[in-house]
């Protein structure tokens, strides 16, 4: 379970980083919206893997918690940009 969580964190690392060199809020928002959609796909894929037995209940719980936490971070970043 810990290994799966570590792999998820490493693989999704680039998606969790908010670009700091963006000059346009519109470009940053588009990047975050793309990251949001990618994260939603990852969550759906993990759900499918759990339903098909590729992930145990414990592994799914760890992966799902990590992915949803990352999705919340992305959504907060989107809200921050939209509030400007």
């Amino acid at each position: 379970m810990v290994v799966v969580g570590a792999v998820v964190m490493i693989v999704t690392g680039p998606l969790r980083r908010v670009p700091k060199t963006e000059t346009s809020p519109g470009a940053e928002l588009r990047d975050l919206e793309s990251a949001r959609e990618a994260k939603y796909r990852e969550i759906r894929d993990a759900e499918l893997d759990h339903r098909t037995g590729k992930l145990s209940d414990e592994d799914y719980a760890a992966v799902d918690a990590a992915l949803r936490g990352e999705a919340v971070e992305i959504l907060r970043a989107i809200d921050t940009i939209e509030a400007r």
Side-chain angles (χ1 to χ4, degrees), residues 34-83:
S34 294
R36 177 188 63 196
E37 295 308 314
K39 193 58 60 185
Y40 288 166
R41 277 192 303 274
E42 288 181 63
I43 291 169
R44 286 190 301 269
D45 289 346
E47 290 171 349
L48 178 62
D49 287 347
H50 180 247
R51 284 194 309 262
T52 59
K54 293 180 183 177
L55 281 176
S56 68
D57 291 341
E58 297 82 19
D59 289 343
Y60 172 69
V63 169
D64 186 60
L67 291 174
R68 289 180 189 274
E70 293 165 10
V72 167
E73 290 177 22
I74 293 168
L75 292 172
R76 285 185 180 144
I78 290 171
D79 286 345
T80 300
I81 291 172
E82 289 178 341

Side-chain angles (χ1 to χ4, degrees), residues 5-53:
V7 169
V8 168
M9 296 303 287
I10 291 169
V11 170
T12 62
L15 294 175
R16 290 182 281 119
R17 291 189 194 102
V18 176
K20 295 180 182 170
T21 59
E22 291 293 333
T23 57
S24 165
E28 187 175 358
L29 184 58
R30 282 191 301 275
D31 289 345
L32 286 168
E33 288 170 343
S34 294
R36 177 188 63 196
E37 295 308 314
K39 193 58 60 185
Y40 288 166
R41 277 192 303 274
E42 288 181 63
I43 291 169
R44 286 190 301 269
D45 289 346
E47 290 171 349
L48 178 62
D49 287 347
H50 180 247
R51 284 194 309 262
T52 59

